[in-house]
Each structure stands twice: as structure tokens, then as C-alpha cells.
Amino acid sequence: MKGLWIVTTETSAEPTRRDFLYIATGAVAAVGAAAAVWPFIAQMNPDASTIAAGAPIEVDLTPIAEGQDIKVFWRGKPIYIMNRTKKQVEEARSVALSALPDPQTDQERTKEGHEQWLVVIGICTHLGCIPIAHEGSYDGFFCPCHGSQYDSSGRIRQGPAPLNLPVPPYQFVSDSKIQIG
Amino acid sequence: MSGPSTYQPQSPFMKWLEQRLPIAGLVHSSFIAYPTPRNLNYWWTFGAILSMMLAVQIVTGIVLAMHYTPHVDLAFDSVERLVRDVNYGWLLRNMHAAGASMFFVAVYIHMLRGLYYGSYKAPREVLWILGVIIYLLMMATGFMGYVLPWGQMSFWGATVITNLFSAIPFVGDSIVTLLWGGYSVGNPTLNRFFSLHYLLPFVIAGVVVLHVWALHVTGQNNPAGVEPKTEKDTVPFTPYATLKDAFGMSCFLVFFCWFIFYMPNYLGDADNYIPANPGVTPPHIVPEWYYLPFYAILRSIPNKLMGVVAMFGAIIVLLFLPWLDSAKVRSLRYRPLAKRFFWGFVATCLMLGWLGAKPAEGMYTILGRIFTFFYFAYFLIVLPLLSRVEKTLPLPNSIAEDVLNKGKVVGTTAASLFAAVLAGTMLFGGVQSAKASEGGESPPSLSWSFAGPFGTYDRAQLQRGFKIYKEVCSACHSLKLLQYRNLAEPGGPSFTLDQAKAIAAEASIKDGPNDAGEMFERPGRLADTFHSPFPNEQAARAANGGAVPPDMSLLAKARSYPRGFPQFIFDFFTQFQEQGPNYIDALLQGYQDTPPEGFSLPDGSYYNKWFPGHSIKMPPPISDGQVTYDDGSPQTLPQYAKDVTAFLMWAAEPHLEARKRLGLQVMIFLIILSGLLYFTKRKVWSNVH
């Protein structure tokens, strides 16, 4: 009559040892299932070789004449390195901060003593197209996809993009060489 | 799937949905209210285990496909990059590779269960036939999956299996060309195999739905083989069968994880860690273990066409089983004669499997023919005959009555199982000892710090081993799957990042082209690999008397030697898998100045006791005192050999420590879960028994 006895305990309102067993089993199984999901999500992050390949790069600036720019790739992103003319630097520094959608001074966006060099990630902050250098109404960049215009400091001036072109981490190793990353 | 549903939706939304799409009712009637015979034993949980394995294979497979490149030049390395660099890549790969074997373990148990309890008999013929179709699809899928890593066994397996079709008269060669998409197994073959390997699991899933549908129409068979007659004979699927299945699955996962975390290469072939080489066939090619019985049948027939026909026939014959065995009594419990023949058949399959792994010569061929005859005789002679002449035992009147006699029957089943295992073991043992007397010697088994469930690398030993690689081996051998950054990663020789950078900077790496379009040399960086000192394979060959020094990244996993029976069974429990390190260590010390009498050594070769064929082009690479150790370790050849071998093991498997560490955690968890599930299942079933 073991079975009958269990049926009677089941109807009592008190938590029983069997309730505890069921809850413990369910909880352990749920923890296991959650832990098992983790490797399947973690595997989508960049793998070790991709991270290692994203190490800093060095760029020689000597071939870039004034008024010219080059595009290099770092971590799969295009980086514009622009040797700005005096006129471009002046334009960038004379504009009032209040006139900018994303206020930032040109000094903040360049390195002291190397004012003519602008280094920005060439990815439009709207939806990721690559803006064209030396185009648009602000002597800077123009994005052909949706018409965003950036000035000669890479700051957004007009169009749907919300933010300035980001400045990647970089430093001058010498007067004519920078290290990006 | 079993008639109109008794499901009564409670909430208004479920009522609304049920009138439009009765999916909740379908689930309810198929997996909750569905009546299952109350006398099912644990052999019946393998259906659920197989569903789980199919899900595991599909999910891990989709993830592996995110990292795999189906191209002959890239496939092998992409698998290694996955294992070495992707987060948990080693785990996902081991799950998928061992999972294929576990899928076949489970399917063979499931099939033998069906065979033993007569689950193929009316009215379940279609259910059985669908199962055979799933099995055929599994074999095709498993074969194509094995080709994808593009190692030596992949390539030669693909070549041999596709060549089976050339046995077809008149159109055979055209069919083979069609399968290859070229004049030999090549890139088009690999691409289409990848495509089909991705497709077929979903076809399997579709046929599984039909299989389950057919099952739910006829209802499950049961160990007594009598149909349920009253409510008392069945219990609802949930919670009774669900919990029993969950416990079965959890126990199976313990078995599965033993392979994933501790024995990932036990079921594989070391040769598949050598990249595919269309110019060299491995001396001893064998398919994966789950095809071995059929491979043995193929080889035992001396005619090409008839061999292929026999091999496929061995599977096709299963389709006709419901009509070959016409006995009215389903379960072999009540067929004493048929039961004996059944265990004989199991022994035959094991024997064929063992023969399939042996070279096709001498006694093996003769035994192969005998057991091939036994295999077909079971289906074509024994079963049809027995079903006419056998005097069966009285059946129980109902399942409920069967449950009352259960204890006695379990005893006899266990006894017959034990007898069959014993008989099989003795058979194997006898043949093996005959073989051992003629067999060769194996390298001595050394004690390695990384062996066993708690094994770890000895950091100082890896650093010493690296020194030997750098000063000696790297003059000829590359380690192109290893990058300098690996030296500083956890679980390795534990160089600091700065040390690793300094080591990298000593190397000269060819890079470019630069802006002027020219290649240039630069110091190595952390992301560079240990490249070959030779510009190309031809140069390496020319500089080494015609033999290419192999890349050493995977050497410790790509070399092996047979352990023989019963040693390989003990290896499973002791987690022995250090054949590669033992071989490399022995090889480095195995040079003999004068070859034994009667051995003619070719010019420019050296005699090595352990090298296959004994004639090796590599001169003795290292001798006492050649490399200076800073830590006071003995500067002797045995110490050098052991250190560099440990380093090569790490190079072959940089995540070994993480694998064993996670394995311990998973094992403890699964044992707790299995225990809890067992007691929960017992509580729930307590009012049924």
C-alpha cells in the first residue's frame, strides 16, 4: 500500500521532500541547459587569430603631399590620413562650436605640433558607407549614400549622420611616421 | 499524431489558437497524453537519445559551418584554426566528431533492440522501413562529414567510397566522374560534399518526423511483445516516459562527454591529422568504426561488383526483415532458439567490425567470408526457418501481467547478454593472441605529465622543448599552425608576452609587396607563424635527399601505432592516448649505427628502429650535450627527446588543459543531474510499480 500513502502526502499543502526533489532536479537541469548555451554564443566573438591580426600598424607619412590623402586599413576599417592645406586647417579652426551638431574642436581631433595631419576612420556614422574625401561643401568628406557632409576636421556638418567621423587611437612615432592602434 | 486530441485548452488565447492551428493539441496528444506501455525497459530510451543526438549534431554542425572553409587548400587549416583560435572551438569540434560516433552507437543499440523485441513486425513494418532509411541517410551524412576536414583519411575514404560506384556495369565510370565533378576527388567533390552534408541532416529530421508519426499511429512495441489491451497496460507519456528518457539521456551524456573531454581522438584515425595528399595512400586505410562490418563484407567477396552488391545488400536486406521473419511471436524472450541465434548475430556483427579494421590478407579474409555468410544466413536462412519450426514459450496475457513477472525475465536477459559478451571477448582474445605472436613491437609507454584526467603540461619542460625546437628542429621543420603569441597564452609554456615578442622578433618574415611592389623581410610579430626554413616544398625536398621534413604542428596527434586487443579496451578506461608522444620519443632515440644483418639500407638513409620501414632520411637530429639547459636538467638524449616531444604535444593541442579542466566540471555536473533524475523518476514511477 506504499502507493496509497504517497497519494495522501501529495494532497497536503506542506512542501514535501518530493517537492524539493522535483524543484532541485528542475533547477539543476535548467542551470546545465543555460551553461551549455554559452559556448555556442561565445564562438561568434572574434577568434584569437583575428584579435592578434588587429595589432597596431605603422604608416609612413612621407609620400603624402600637402592636400593629398591616403586610405589604409586597420582591423578591416578604412582609415583616412589627410595632409591638410593651411586653408583646410583654418576653416576647421574658425568655425563656431555652436554651429556643429556634434561639437568638438579641431585641436581635440588632431595631435599638437602635427596640425596638418587628420587621421579619421572613414566610415560614415549614419549607416557605414565610406565617404569620399575632398568632396562636399565643407572641404572635407561627402558620403554618397545618403548625402552626409563632413568638414576638413571630419566633423558632421550636414545630412542624416549624427556624429563626427571617429579618430582612431594613434600616435606619432617620429615626425613622418604614425602608429595606429 | 494519434487520433483526435483530448486536449482542452484553458486560456481564451489557447482556445482561439486551437481552433485555427491545433498545435498545442498535437503536442499534447503526442508527447503528454500519448499512452506508452508500462513495461518498457531502458533499451527504449534510445529513441529519445537519438533525437537528442540529431539535435546536437545539427546545432554543432551549423556552428562549425560558420568557421569552416570548403576548399582543398583551406579546409584542413580552417578546421585547425577553429580548434585552436575560435572560443570553445575545440569543444564544438569534439562534440560534433564524437557526436557522430555516439549517434551510431545509439542507432545500433536502437536497431538491435528492434531486432530483439520484434519491433519490425506487423503492424510496424513501415515504422521499421523508415528507420532503415534514416540509417542509410546517416551513413551517407557521416561519410561526407568525415571527408570535410580533408586529412589523409578524408581524401582516401572519399576516393575509395566513390569508387564503389565504378563497379556498376557500363555506366560505373561515368557515375563516378559525375560524383567527383572532375577526373579525381578534388575541390568540386569537397564543395558538393559540404553542401550535401549540410542538407542531409534536415532530410533525416524530416524522415524522423515520419518515423515518429508512424510510431504514434501503431503505438510502441514493448518487451513482452503483446499489444496493450486496457488502460492498466499503459501510462501517459508525460511524466512517466519523459522522465525515464531524461534519465537515459543524462547517462548517455556522461558516456558522450567521456569522449568529448578525455578521449577525443580515440575513435578517430591519427592519419587524418595529416593533410590530404593525392600522391600518397596511407598504408592502412580503414573507414570510421561504424562502417567496419560492411567494409569487411565488401572485402571478403573476391569480385568487385559482387563485393559492392553484398555490401549494399547487407543493409537492403533489413528492409525485407518484416517478411523474412514471419513468426507471430514478437519478443525473443518467448523464442528460446531465435534468442540464441540473435546473440550469435550480434557476435557476427562485432566480429565483422573487428575484421574490417584488419588488413585484408590471410586468415582475416577467410574469417571475413565465414562471418559474411553468417550475417546473410541469419536473415535469409535462420529467421525464415525458425519462424516456421520454432516452438515458442507461452506469452503473458497482458502487459500488466508481464510487469508482475519482470524480475525473473530481467535475470535471463542479463545472463544471455553476459554470455554473449564473454563469448565475443574470448573469440577476439583467441584471434588476437594468434596475431600477437606474429606482430611487431610497440614503442615503450612513457609517463607524461599531460596524460590522464588531471594531466597538465610541465611549463619548464615545454620551455626546454621549445629551446630544442628552436635550436635543432626548426632548421628543417615548420610549425605553421602555431603563432608566436601562442607561446604566451595560458596552458602553454608560459613565456611572458615580452619574451614571446622577443622570440618573434628574432625571426625574419617575408612580407609585402610594399608601395614599390617589392617583397621585403621584416622582424616577426606575435601574429606570425613558425614558418618553414625552405621557400617551397620542392626546395625542402631537394635539400633533404628527396624527403620533405613534415610540418610538426600536429605531429604528436598524427602518429600512432595499434594497441591491439584487449589493450585498446583498457585504454578507454585509463584514457590512454599518448601513442603519438611515445612514438616521437622512441624515434628520436631509435637510431642504430649499423642496421641489423640482412637489412639493406638505401644510400642517404639512416636506420631507425621505430620508423615504418626503418629507413629514414632524417639524420639523427640530436645527441647528448647538444643543447644547453639553463635549469640544470640533464643534457642527455633521453631528456631532450622527452622535452621536445612534450613541446610538440602542446603544439598539437594547445587547449589540452582547458579541455580536461572543463571535462571534470561537466562530469561532476552530469553525475549530479543523473542522480537527481534517477530519484525523481523513481518517485514518479513509485505508484505504477
Side-chain angles (χ1 to χ4, degrees), chain B residues 159-179:
Chain B
T159 303
V160 169
I161 301 293
T162 48
N163 265 315
L164 291 178
F165 294 90
S166 70
I168 301 169
F170 308 115
V171 291
D173 286 335
S174 313
I175 288 178
V176 173
T177 307
L178 183 84
L179 290 173

PDB file of all heavy atoms in Angstrom, chain B residues 159-179:
ATOM      1  N   THR B 159      37.892   8.745 -51.898  1.00  0.00           N
ATOM      2  CA  THR B 159      38.289   8.072 -53.138  1.00  0.00           C
ATOM      3  C   THR B 159      37.754   6.640 -53.175  1.00  0.00           C
ATOM      4  O   THR B 159      37.155   6.209 -54.173  1.00  0.00           O
ATOM      5  CB  THR B 159      39.832   8.055 -53.242  1.00  0.00           C
ATOM      6  OG1 THR B 159      40.296   9.402 -53.177  1.00  0.00           O
ATOM      7  CG2 THR B 159      40.286   7.423 -54.532  1.00  0.00           C
ATOM      8  N   VAL B 160      37.937   5.921 -52.083  1.00  0.00           N
ATOM      9  CA  VAL B 160      37.533   4.508 -52.075  1.00  0.00           C
ATOM     10  C   VAL B 160      36.018   4.377 -52.154  1.00  0.00           C
ATOM     11  O   VAL B 160      35.488   3.585 -52.942  1.00  0.00           O
ATOM     12  CB  VAL B 160      38.082   3.814 -50.801  1.00  0.00           C
ATOM     13  CG1 VAL B 160      37.467   2.441 -50.632  1.00  0.00           C
ATOM     14  CG2 VAL B 160      39.594   3.703 -50.869  1.00  0.00           C
ATOM     15  N   ILE B 161      35.309   5.170 -51.366  1.00  0.00           N
ATOM     16  CA  ILE B 161      33.848   5.018 -51.319  1.00  0.00           C
ATOM     17  C   ILE B 161      33.212   5.432 -52.650  1.00  0.00           C
ATOM     18  O   ILE B 161      32.309   4.768 -53.151  1.00  0.00           O
ATOM     19  CB  ILE B 161      33.243   5.821 -50.153  1.00  0.00           C
ATOM     20  CG1 ILE B 161      33.840   5.357 -48.822  1.00  0.00           C
ATOM     21  CG2 ILE B 161      31.731   5.695 -50.134  1.00  0.00           C
ATOM     22  CD1 ILE B 161      33.474   3.962 -48.394  1.00  0.00           C
ATOM     23  N   THR B 162      33.697   6.531 -53.239  1.00  0.00           N
ATOM     24  CA  THR B 162      33.104   6.919 -54.521  1.00  0.00           C
ATOM     25  C   THR B 162      33.437   5.883 -55.594  1.00  0.00           C
ATOM     26  O   THR B 162      32.622   5.625 -56.486  1.00  0.00           O
ATOM     27  CB  THR B 162      33.584   8.305 -54.988  1.00  0.00           C
ATOM     28  OG1 THR B 162      35.011   8.355 -54.855  1.00  0.00           O
ATOM     29  CG2 THR B 162      32.978   9.411 -54.144  1.00  0.00           C
ATOM     30  N   ASN B 163      34.609   5.250 -55.460  1.00  0.00           N
ATOM     31  CA  ASN B 163      34.982   4.230 -56.441  1.00  0.00           C
ATOM     32  C   ASN B 163      34.107   2.986 -56.360  1.00  0.00           C
ATOM     33  O   ASN B 163      34.094   2.175 -57.292  1.00  0.00           O
ATOM     34  CB  ASN B 163      36.442   3.844 -56.281  1.00  0.00           C
ATOM     35  CG  ASN B 163      37.329   4.638 -57.220  1.00  0.00           C
ATOM     36  OD1 ASN B 163      36.989   4.792 -58.396  1.00  0.00           O
ATOM     37  ND2 ASN B 163      38.425   5.153 -56.720  1.00  0.00           N
ATOM     38  N   LEU B 164      33.372   2.832 -55.251  1.00  0.00           N
ATOM     39  CA  LEU B 164      32.444   1.704 -55.162  1.00  0.00           C
ATOM     40  C   LEU B 164      31.475   1.723 -56.341  1.00  0.00           C
ATOM     41  O   LEU B 164      31.078   0.691 -56.865  1.00  0.00           O
ATOM     42  CB  LEU B 164      31.619   1.780 -53.871  1.00  0.00           C
ATOM     43  CG  LEU B 164      32.334   1.549 -52.553  1.00  0.00           C
ATOM     44  CD1 LEU B 164      31.353   1.709 -51.412  1.00  0.00           C
ATOM     45  CD2 LEU B 164      32.943   0.164 -52.528  1.00  0.00           C
ATOM     46  N   PHE B 165      31.112   2.955 -56.748  1.00  0.00           N
ATOM     47  CA  PHE B 165      30.106   3.068 -57.802  1.00  0.00           C
ATOM     48  C   PHE B 165      30.667   2.691 -59.165  1.00  0.00           C
ATOM     49  O   PHE B 165      29.915   2.451 -60.101  1.00  0.00           O
ATOM     50  CB  PHE B 165      29.521   4.486 -57.824  1.00  0.00           C
ATOM     51  CG  PHE B 165      28.743   4.787 -56.573  1.00  0.00           C
ATOM     52  CD1 PHE B 165      29.350   5.341 -55.459  1.00  0.00           C
ATOM     53  CD2 PHE B 165      27.384   4.475 -56.499  1.00  0.00           C
ATOM     54  CE1 PHE B 165      28.634   5.588 -54.303  1.00  0.00           C
ATOM     55  CE2 PHE B 165      26.660   4.721 -55.341  1.00  0.00           C
ATOM     56  CZ  PHE B 165      27.288   5.278 -54.243  1.00  0.00           C
ATOM     57  N   SER B 166      31.994   2.651 -59.269  1.00  0.00           N
ATOM     58  CA  SER B 166      32.577   2.256 -60.555  1.00  0.00           C
ATOM     59  C   SER B 166      32.344   0.773 -60.822  1.00  0.00           C
ATOM     60  O   SER B 166      32.594   0.290 -61.930  1.00  0.00           O
ATOM     61  CB  SER B 166      34.076   2.581 -60.572  1.00  0.00           C
ATOM     62  OG  SER B 166      34.760   1.709 -59.687  1.00  0.00           O
ATOM     63  N   ALA B 167      31.873   0.045 -59.809  1.00  0.00           N
ATOM     64  CA  ALA B 167      31.588  -1.382 -60.019  1.00  0.00           C
ATOM     65  C   ALA B 167      30.327  -1.592 -60.847  1.00  0.00           C
ATOM     66  O   ALA B 167      30.117  -2.676 -61.387  1.00  0.00           O
ATOM     67  CB  ALA B 167      31.443  -2.073 -58.671  1.00  0.00           C
ATOM     68  N   ILE B 168      29.503  -0.553 -60.955  1.00  0.00           N
ATOM     69  CA  ILE B 168      28.264  -0.705 -61.732  1.00  0.00           C
ATOM     70  C   ILE B 168      28.627  -0.937 -63.192  1.00  0.00           C
ATOM     71  O   ILE B 168      29.432  -0.200 -63.766  1.00  0.00           O
ATOM     72  CB  ILE B 168      27.397   0.566 -61.592  1.00  0.00           C
ATOM     73  CG1 ILE B 168      27.066   0.800 -60.110  1.00  0.00           C
ATOM     74  CG2 ILE B 168      26.128   0.462 -62.429  1.00  0.00           C
ATOM     75  CD1 ILE B 168      26.451   2.146 -59.831  1.00  0.00           C
ATOM     76  N   PRO B 169      28.068  -1.983 -63.819  1.00  0.00           N
ATOM     77  CA  PRO B 169      28.447  -2.263 -65.199  1.00  0.00           C
ATOM     78  C   PRO B 169      28.074  -1.109 -66.154  1.00  0.00           C
ATOM     79  O   PRO B 169      27.083  -0.423 -65.918  1.00  0.00           O
ATOM     80  CB  PRO B 169      27.634  -3.514 -65.546  1.00  0.00           C
ATOM     81  CG  PRO B 169      27.161  -4.060 -64.246  1.00  0.00           C
ATOM     82  CD  PRO B 169      27.107  -2.940 -63.284  1.00  0.00           C
ATOM     83  N   PHE B 170      28.869  -0.922 -67.160  1.00  0.00           N
ATOM     84  CA  PHE B 170      28.670   0.032 -68.267  1.00  0.00           C
ATOM     85  C   PHE B 170      28.751   1.497 -67.836  1.00  0.00           C
ATOM     86  O   PHE B 170      29.522   2.268 -68.374  1.00  0.00           O
ATOM     87  CB  PHE B 170      27.339  -0.216 -68.996  1.00  0.00           C
ATOM     88  CG  PHE B 170      27.162  -1.646 -69.418  1.00  0.00           C
ATOM     89  CD1 PHE B 170      26.156  -2.437 -68.877  1.00  0.00           C
ATOM     90  CD2 PHE B 170      28.058  -2.235 -70.321  1.00  0.00           C
ATOM     91  CE1 PHE B 170      26.016  -3.767 -69.252  1.00  0.00           C
ATOM     92  CE2 PHE B 170      27.926  -3.565 -70.694  1.00  0.00           C
ATOM     93  CZ  PHE B 170      26.904  -4.332 -70.152  1.00  0.00           C
ATOM     94  N   VAL B 171      27.924   1.929 -66.867  1.00  0.00           N
ATOM     95  CA  VAL B 171      27.856   3.361 -66.558  1.00  0.00           C
ATOM     96  C   VAL B 171      28.665   3.729 -65.311  1.00  0.00           C
ATOM     97  O   VAL B 171      28.698   4.887 -64.924  1.00  0.00           O
ATOM     98  CB  VAL B 171      26.394   3.819 -66.350  1.00  0.00           C
ATOM     99  CG1 VAL B 171      25.625   3.780 -67.652  1.00  0.00           C
ATOM    100  CG2 VAL B 171      25.708   2.969 -65.284  1.00  0.00           C
ATOM    101  N   GLY B 172      29.324   2.747 -64.696  1.00  0.00           N
ATOM    102  CA  GLY B 172      30.025   2.991 -63.433  1.00  0.00           C
ATOM    103  C   GLY B 172      30.982   4.169 -63.492  1.00  0.00           C
ATOM    104  O   GLY B 172      30.908   5.076 -62.660  1.00  0.00           O
ATOM    105  N   ASP B 173      31.876   4.174 -64.503  1.00  0.00           N
ATOM    106  CA  ASP B 173      32.883   5.228 -64.567  1.00  0.00           C
ATOM    107  C   ASP B 173      32.245   6.598 -64.750  1.00  0.00           C
ATOM    108  O   ASP B 173      32.687   7.581 -64.166  1.00  0.00           O
ATOM    109  CB  ASP B 173      33.875   4.940 -65.698  1.00  0.00           C
ATOM    110  CG  ASP B 173      34.825   3.798 -65.308  1.00  0.00           C
ATOM    111  OD1 ASP B 173      35.017   3.612 -64.090  1.00  0.00           O
ATOM    112  OD2 ASP B 173      35.338   3.110 -66.211  1.00  0.00           O
ATOM    113  N   SER B 174      31.191   6.652 -65.559  1.00  0.00           N
ATOM    114  CA  SER B 174      30.519   7.941 -65.770  1.00  0.00           C
ATOM    115  C   SER B 174      29.898   8.426 -64.475  1.00  0.00           C
ATOM    116  O   SER B 174      29.922   9.621 -64.167  1.00  0.00           O
ATOM    117  CB  SER B 174      29.421   7.807 -66.827  1.00  0.00           C
ATOM    118  OG  SER B 174      29.922   7.122 -67.938  1.00  0.00           O
ATOM    119  N   ILE B 175      29.335   7.486 -63.698  1.00  0.00           N
ATOM    120  CA  ILE B 175      28.721   7.882 -62.432  1.00  0.00           C
ATOM    121  C   ILE B 175      29.781   8.418 -61.476  1.00  0.00           C
ATOM    122  O   ILE B 175      29.577   9.441 -60.815  1.00  0.00           O
ATOM    123  CB  ILE B 175      27.962   6.685 -61.811  1.00  0.00           C
ATOM    124  CG1 ILE B 175      26.704   6.416 -62.632  1.00  0.00           C
ATOM    125  CG2 ILE B 175      27.614   6.955 -60.355  1.00  0.00           C
ATOM    126  CD1 ILE B 175      25.898   5.240 -62.169  1.00  0.00           C
ATOM    127  N   VAL B 176      30.925   7.767 -61.447  1.00  0.00           N
ATOM    128  CA  VAL B 176      31.987   8.222 -60.539  1.00  0.00           C
ATOM    129  C   VAL B 176      32.463   9.613 -60.937  1.00  0.00           C
ATOM    130  O   VAL B 176      32.638  10.496 -60.093  1.00  0.00           O
ATOM    131  CB  VAL B 176      33.148   7.210 -60.524  1.00  0.00           C
ATOM    132  CG1 VAL B 176      34.323   7.757 -59.732  1.00  0.00           C
ATOM    133  CG2 VAL B 176      32.683   5.899 -59.918  1.00  0.00           C
ATOM    134  N   THR B 177      32.650   9.840 -62.243  1.00  0.00           N
ATOM    135  CA  THR B 177      33.050  11.172 -62.707  1.00  0.00           C
ATOM    136  C   THR B 177      32.008  12.206 -62.304  1.00  0.00           C
ATOM    137  O   THR B 177      32.332  13.319 -61.877  1.00  0.00           O
ATOM    138  CB  THR B 177      33.220  11.167 -64.235  1.00  0.00           C
ATOM    139  OG1 THR B 177      34.101  10.097 -64.576  1.00  0.00           O
ATOM    140  CG2 THR B 177      33.797  12.470 -64.731  1.00  0.00           C
ATOM    141  N   LEU B 178      30.749  11.808 -62.416  1.00  0.00           N
ATOM    142  CA  LEU B 178      29.664  12.709 -62.031  1.00  0.00           C
ATOM    143  C   LEU B 178      29.734  13.048 -60.540  1.00  0.00           C
ATOM    144  O   LEU B 178      29.554  14.195 -60.138  1.00  0.00           O
ATOM    145  CB  LEU B 178      28.329  12.031 -62.354  1.00  0.00           C
ATOM    146  CG  LEU B 178      27.069  12.839 -62.087  1.00  0.00           C
ATOM    147  CD1 LEU B 178      26.776  13.756 -63.258  1.00  0.00           C
ATOM    148  CD2 LEU B 178      25.887  11.931 -61.818  1.00  0.00           C
ATOM    149  N   LEU B 179      30.022  12.036 -59.719  1.00  0.00           N
ATOM    150  CA  LEU B 179      30.106  12.274 -58.274  1.00  0.00           C
ATOM    151  C   LEU B 179      31.271  13.197 -57.932  1.00  0.00           C
ATOM    152  O   LEU B 179      31.170  14.044 -57.063  1.00  0.00           O
ATOM    153  CB  LEU B 179      30.291  10.948 -57.523  1.00  0.00           C
ATOM    154  CG  LEU B 179      29.107   9.994 -57.492  1.00  0.00           C
ATOM    155  CD1 LEU B 179      29.507   8.671 -56.870  1.00  0.00           C
ATOM    156  CD2 LEU B 179      27.944  10.596 -56.729  1.00  0.00           C
TER     157      LEU B 179
END
